[in-house]
Amino acid sequence: MSFDNNMNLIYKIAKAMPEGHHLIVFYTRINPHQRAILALHRRRIRAICFKDGLRFVFKLLPIILSARLIICDNYYPFLGGLKLPKNVKVIQLWHADGAVKEFGWGDPDTAHQSRSDQHRYQSVYNHFDNYVVASKAMGQVFVNDYHIPFSRIRLLGYPRSDIFFNRKWIERSRRQVLKRYPQFRGRRIILYAPTYRKGVKYNPPIGLVKSLTSDPKAIVIVRLHPALRDQFSWIEQEIGFSSRLYYLNNASTAKLLTITNTLITDYSSVAFDYSLLPRAHSLIFFMYDLAKYQKMPGCQPNFLNWLPDSPVENVKDLARVIKQNKKTNLKAFNLRWNTYNDGHASDRFIHHYIEPLRRRN
């Protein structure tokens, strides 16, 4: 577990675990979501910190090698060197419903790596027996960027998306956020959530705050990517301050989306989550560094053809679009990327991978 957005699936797996089987969650050290780890312990789900070194070799690796099912939400290099028993299945859940950014072989940086590094990358990709996705479009991304056959793709939907179909969860999350920040109540909420730029210093354009706060009736929330949290103080200074702008980097992104009227992002997968919410109004892609980003790390081919609206590339146009507050038509966007997300993806995952464990006993 690198991200905490599959917690509901983990709880369901624990509940559905056949007699004689045990669920163990390995979480990475960079995971900032300590509340998720505490929640696992409270439910008596064994959670172990995953880190390299002798402890991994002598204590953690034997556990992994004894597993019947290995579920991953990210790229884990150690898989490339494992020789697993034939009866073990390795499942890639990933951590995003769709993709604007390139990765794997699609990342231009991969071509500059040594042959041994490239071989190691492909070895990891090949270790995944199945890739669970929410659309043929995302399946094709893995086929292209990981060089794997489409026969490994499983169109089950993303379990992490189920919460966005759960009206009780949505309303409860809204109440929790508004209780903590009563000043947000009755206001237009604009959430600015830029993505992580690997190897590139986040350098927002001059005048960003003025544009973000161009609607005098709106509250603006800035939510940085977890990988940028160690740069938070510097970025806070770069973006600037306003009495109507809040930096909420410890709040749950999913919960913030439930109160959001306008999402402003760039190349982040948060757009695919937001588009599922019934209250989603406007989605703005602010790509001020588009030309540079298309070169490194790269964007999916023809992505401009399927974005729900044209990207905004400067702060002047950003202010104009914010003030227009035009509703974004997300129907085609969802049909392409959220095809199999319907609130029951977790149940299908359990049926497909956990229930068969009982029959194999």
Side-chain angles (χ1 to χ4, degrees):
M1 182 175 83
S2 293
F3 301 87
D4 71 344
N5 50 23
N6 273 313
M7 295 298 288
N8 288 332
L9 174 64
I10 291 172
Y11 299 152
K12 284 194 171 187
I13 290 175
K15 190 174 181 180
M17 193 61 61
E19 186 178 349
H21 290 73
H22 304 279
L23 172 65
I24 299 175
V25 177
F26 288 163
Y27 61 94
T28 59
R29 293 181 67 186
I30 60 170
N31 193 316
H33 305 289
Q34 293 305 314
R35 283 176 294 184
I37 309 307
L38 291 173
L40 292 174
H41 288 306
R42 281 198 300 270
R43 290 174 180 254
R44 297 184 179 180
I45 297 172
R46 189 179 178 191
I48 301 173
C49 184
F50 179 93
K51 44 189 169 183
D52 295 327
L54 292 176
R55 181 172 182 266
F56 171 75
V57 173
F58 292 109
K59 291 191 175 182
L60 305 189
L61 191 56
I63 297 174
I64 294 170
L65 291 173
S66 70
R68 297 283 295 278
L69 189 65
I70 301 172
I71 305 166
C72 305
D73 68 358
N74 211 335
Y75 170 93
Y76 291 98
F78 79 89
L79 286 172
L82 289 188
K83 186 171 179 61
L84 294 167
K86 289 184 179 179
N87 65 336
V88 178
K89 268 199 168 185
V90 186
I91 312 302
Q92 177 58 263
L93 270 181
W94 205 236
H95 46 270
D97 283 4
V100 177
K101 294 182 282 189
E102 285 279 23
F103 55 88
W105 289 102
D107 185 338
D109 187 54
T110 303
H112 302 296
Q113 302 301 312
S114 67
R115 281 192 176 182
S116 61
D117 283 343
Q118 292 176 351
H119 178 77
R120 188 175 70 252
Y121 300 155
Q122 191 61 49
S123 180
V124 175
Y125 308 153
N126 291 342
H127 266 73
F128 295 113
D129 296 289
N130 291 165
Y131 291 76
V132 174
V133 299
S135 64
K136 290 181 180 178
M138 190 60 180
Q140 195 60 48
V141 169
F142 281 117
V143 169
N144 296 341
D145 288 353
Y146 273 12
H147 291 182
I148 51 101
F150 201 91
S151 58
R152 295 192 183 188
I153 302 300
R154 295 294 179 269
L155 300 169
L156 301 177
Y158 268 107
R160 60 189 292 278
S161 72
D162 287 351
I163 57 173
F164 300 118
F165 293 87
N166 186 328
R167 293 190 177 275
K168 288 183 178 179
W169 177 87
I170 292 172
E171 290 306 315
R172 184 169 66 249
S173 298
R174 281 179 54 81
R175 288 196 301 269
Q176 288 172 351
V177 176
L178 294 176
K179 182 179 180 180
R180 187 169 183 181
Y181 302 99
Q183 64 270 38
F184 294 173
R185 196 177 296 275
R187 305 289 291 273
R188 177 191 179 189
I189 303 297
I190 298 172
L191 175 63
Y192 176 50
T195 194
Y196 167 56
R197 288 155 169 77
K198 179 184 177 183
V200 180
K201 189 175 182 181
Y202 178 65
N203 190 22
I206 296 171
L208 179 57
V209 165
K210 186 177 179 181
S211 292
L212 288 174
T213 57
S214 56
D215 180 353
K217 296 180 180 179
I219 293 288
V220 178
I221 299 170
V222 176
R223 180 70 168 79
L224 299 176
H225 189 281
L228 292 174
R229 286 177 182 172
D230 59 343
Q231 304 176 42
F232 175 65
S233 297
W234 176 82
I235 292 174
E236 191 177 30
Q237 293 290 338
E238 284 292 304
I239 294 178
F241 298 89
S242 166
S243 60
R244 291 185 288 108
L245 188 146
Y246 295 79
Y247 294 89
L248 301 184
N249 281 314
N250 291 320
S252 160
T253 303
K255 290 183 178 181
L256 289 177
L257 289 177
T258 66
I259 66 163
T260 297
N261 306 109
T262 298
L263 172 65
I264 302 173
T265 187
D266 40 27
Y267 317 95
S268 171
S269 64
V270 70
F272 303 98
D273 295 337
Y274 179 65
S275 64
L276 288 170
L277 285 162
R279 298 171 67 98
H281 179 73
S282 53
L283 175 55
I284 300 170
F285 290 88
F286 180 47
M287 298 176 170
Y288 63 88
D289 57 351
L290 178 58
K292 184 186 295 185
Y293 204 92
Q294 282 182 293
K295 293 178 182 178
M296 185 67 71
C299 296
Q300 294 295 324
N302 304 315
F303 82 100
L304 292 174
N305 294 335
W306 50 255
L307 285 184
D309 217 335
S310 299
V312 175
E313 297 188 53
N314 59 71
V315 292
K316 182 179 178 181
D317 286 341
L318 178 62
R320 174 180 56 80
V321 173
I322 287 174
K323 285 186 281 191
Q324 283 178 345
N325 196 20
K326 184 180 70 174
K327 183 172 177 60
T328 305
N329 186 342
L330 297 167
K331 185 176 180 180
F333 187 66
N334 275 325
L335 283 173
R336 180 183 180 89
W337 293 104
N338 287 307
T339 320
Y340 294 88
N341 286 336
D342 58 2
H344 303 288
S346 295
D347 294 334
R348 285 192 291 272
F349 186 94
I350 298 292
H351 176 75
H352 206 83
Y353 293 111
I354 306 303
E355 291 179 4
L357 294 176
R358 184 176 294 109
R359 295 194 291 270
R360 291 177 200 161
N361 283 345

